[in-house]
Amino acid sequence: NLYALNMASPNVDVNTLNQMVNGINKAIDYKTEVAIVGHKNPDCDSVCSAIAYANLKRYLGIRAKAFVSGKINNETKFALKYFEVPTPEVMTDATDKTVILVDHNAYNQAVGGMKEANIVEILDHHGLGDIKTDSPILVRTAPVGSTATIVFELYLQYGIRVSKRMAGLLAEYALPVHW
């Protein structure tokens, strides 16, 4: 029962998209913290997208926290150190957590316990995987080079200024698409 919304669709105008997203945000129980996590064997796109999207969600009044799903690679370590952003905690089990997936949408790429998690949203630039939910969720996919591009587009959509740190984390992947 995935509600799929293709951000690249020319048939969806910004006002309609904002109404849909606002409605979904109101419908989701955000009383508990939302964990935003990327795929196993995290790369820079997975980690930086989780961090920047958690930052955006907090601007929107949602308690969100970025996690990584394992040991980060040297490229990601460099980016986090350069932009003075702390490495997120490692999530090894998603059981009973409220979760947003970034940069993946298949159980074999997710941390353990994802089938027992409350998945409320997916942001991804890959083909659709096998994630199933009991109720409709927001799925944002787009045929772009990275999930960071989708996150950057969401900052633009909401009219929220991207801080230097967040822009730096997203820059390698997202910003050249918009120049």
Side-chain angles (χ1 to χ4, degrees), residues 31-163:
K31 293 176 186 160
T32 60
E33 184 176 75
V34 178
I36 302 179
V37 65
H39 54 74
K40 292 180 191 173
N41 300 315
D43 58 17
C44 203
D45 187 29
S46 178
V47 175
C48 294
S49 292
I51 293 168
Y53 197 47
N55 183 69
L56 175 61
K57 286 291 194 182
R58 287 191 298 273
Y59 270 106
L60 298 174
I62 296 164
R63 290 184 20 202
K65 182 177 179 180
F67 288 86
V68 294
S69 57
K71 185 178 177 181
I72 61 173
N73 63 25
N74 288 336
E75 175 189 13
T76 307
K77 285 179 189 175
F78 176 83
L80 295 178
K81 183 177 179 182
Y82 186 85
F83 293 106
E84 299 176 346
V85 176
T87 302
E89 289 178 44
V90 176
M91 176 187 286
T92 57
D93 185 14
T95 303
D96 297 328
K97 290 183 172 60
T98 300
V99 179
I100 294 174
L101 302 179
V102 294
D103 203 30
H104 73 297
N105 64 84
Y107 289 118
N108 68 347
Q109 298 174 331
V111 299
M114 198 56 72
K115 289 183 180 180
E116 292 78 35
N118 177 26
I119 301 169
V120 295
E121 192 174 341
I122 297 171
L123 264 63
D124 200 359
H125 68 112
H126 299 102
L128 293 177
D130 63 348
I131 297 288
K132 298 195 183 326
T133 62
D134 291 332
S135 48
I137 67 170
L138 182 62
V139 177
R140 291 186 180 106
T141 64
V144 294
S146 68
T147 300
T149 300
I150 299 169
V151 174
F152 180 71
E153 288 173 347
L154 288 168
Y155 274 90
L156 295 177
Q157 172 191 321
Y158 282 107
I160 295 175
R161 184 181 166 275
V162 184
S163 71

